[in-house]
Amino acid sequence: MPDDTITWRAMLAETAQVVADRTSALWLCQRASGYDAEEFMGELDNPVTSRSATHLHDMVRRFIGGEPLQYVLGRWAFRRVDIMVDTRVLIPRPETEMLVDLVLEEVRQKPGSTIIDLGTGSGAIGLAVLDELPLSHSTVWMTDVSRDALDVASANVAGLGRPGISARLVHGSWFDALPVELKEAVDVVVANPPYVEDDDPDLEERVREWEPSLALFAGPDGLRDIATIVSGCNQWLRSDGLLLIEFGSRQGDAVRALAIDAGLCDVEILQDLAGLDRVLRARTSH
Ligand code: GLN
């Protein structure tokens, strides 16, 4: 090995010092190497190519500049899907994964279902649903008001391969994006809408600085978009259709009241893995 080359083991140690975090250093080195996690462990005593070193230095520079690791890596895992992410979309969060279980539980025994992922962002929810259903089992409409987000979602649909044929991407604000033929024909509406209060003092600085405001903030009480979805869903869901919405951990009572006011039935507030109020589940009764 020539003198100017270093092994991945040495590069990893050096990176861990620079970024002061061994786990992030491992992610960054793996990504720069082009190997998957398992392969990378077998490469530790092999030399780092200059191309990988350049890629790594660029990522380390962004990471120590404060950019979230997920954006620096350019992708993040959501359930079984590797989702491409950048600053055009929210980073998929673990608490959102439960929405996918709730959709699957509803439609697994109902082939031919129509599912709407409203405000899809990166496409994480809709694509994870398609990935875990048999091929062509159900159709998932994915909407977003942000054309930038739809570009990311569309790249992720392509990345999913064959299950992606059942995805339909449409542009527009909430239900306005949908074709009228879907009125009262939808089995499930699922959404992780913006729900952060505009001036929320608890919001992490890194989130506020880097993630798209459009995907985060929903007015002084954070309920603006949830209210729109709850009141609009009656026109689109079929009778006994299911509504699933993620919300902020302090919004449970307000969200329950919105659902009851809209005439929805079987209204439930479900907790996430941390035991915090997180998801509204309700049904249409018309
Ligand atoms: N869970 C996100 C956060 O607080 C917010 C996501 C959202 O508004 N949908 O960081």
Side-chain angles (χ1 to χ4, degrees):
M1 201 182 296
D3 288 346
D4 60 346
T5 59
I6 80 165
T7 62
W8 275 113
R9 191 182 303 282
M11 189 63 112
L12 177 58
E14 199 177 288
T15 307
Q17 278 211 327
V18 175
V19 304
D21 170 10
R22 193 167 163 89
T23 310
S24 300
L26 185 58
W27 282 102
L28 292 164
C29 286
Q30 270 167 12
R31 183 83 174 102
S33 75
Y35 295 107
D36 69 25
E38 220 170 291
E39 289 167 344
F40 180 74
M41 289 308 169
E43 289 294 318
L44 283 173
D45 293 312
N46 289 337
V48 177
T49 63
S50 64
R51 189 150 167 262
S52 290
T54 308
H55 187 194
L56 180 63
H57 290 142
D58 179 53
M59 288 193 290
V60 166
R61 187 181 45 73
R62 289 167 60 191
F63 183 69
I64 57 185
E67 189 167 344
L69 179 67
Q70 295 90 336
Y71 289 150
V72 173
L73 296 172
R75 57 192 198 207
W76 199 243
F78 182 76
R79 293 185 68 103
R80 307 186 321 196
V81 190
D82 217 7
I83 298 286
M84 189 267 265
V85 288
D86 60 31
T87 54
R88 291 173 290 181
V89 294
L90 206 69
I91 296 165
R93 288 160 165 72
E95 59 268 29
T96 304
E97 295 194 356
M98 75 182 278
L99 286 174
V100 176
D101 281 316
L102 294 165
V103 175
L104 293 172
E105 185 185 297
E106 178 73 5
V107 303
R108 237 187 243 290
Q109 307 306 327
K110 290 191 204 164
S113 289
T114 299
I115 301 158
I116 313 286
D117 174 9
L118 278 183
T120 193
S122 65
I125 298 170
L127 294 180
V129 166
L130 286 176
D131 177 60
E132 293 181 49
L133 286 174
L135 263 188
S136 303
H137 177 286
S138 290
T139 304
V140 178
W141 291 77
M142 299 158 62
T143 80
D144 213 291
V145 73
S146 155
R147 290 204 187 268
D148 276 349
L150 279 184
D151 286 344
V152 175
S154 143
N156 280 319
V157 170
L160 191 65
R162 291 189 68 202
I165 57 175
S166 300
R168 307 278 179 275
L169 290 173
V170 279
H171 174 252
S173 176
W174 308 121
F175 295 105
D176 296 347
L178 299 172
V180 289
E181 304 87 82
L182 291 182
K183 283 207 168 161
E184 296 194 17
V186 174
D187 297 279
V188 180
V189 168
V190 60
N192 173 20
Y195 55 70
V196 178
E197 296 163 25
D198 289 343
D199 299 318
D200 186 349
D202 297 335
L203 188 67
E204 260 182 81
E205 208 34 60
R206 200 192 289 252
V207 172
R208 187 182 294 278
E209 188 179 337
W210 288 91
E211 301 198 52
S213 307
L214 192 64
L216 288 171
F217 301 109
D221 59 4
L223 291 168
R224 184 190 60 220
D225 297 296
I226 292 177
T228 303
I229 297 168
V230 168
S231 65
C233 74
N234 271 310
Q235 279 196 297
W236 297 88
L237 283 168
R238 63 170 80 249
S239 182
D240 204 34
L242 185 70
L243 175 66
L244 297 164
I245 307 182
E246 179 175 322
F247 58 79
S249 58
R250 293 186 303 258
Q251 296 169 329
D253 290 342
V255 170
R256 182 198 306 273
L258 286 171
I260 291 169
D261 281 354
L264 297 176
C265 49
D266 301 346
V267 176
E268 285 176 278
I269 299 298
L270 308 177
Q271 279 80 42
D272 63 17
L273 289 174
L276 302 170
D277 286 355
R278 185 62 63 194
V279 170
L280 166 71
R281 176 162 65 183
R283 289 187 185 277
T284 42
S285 56
H286 56 74

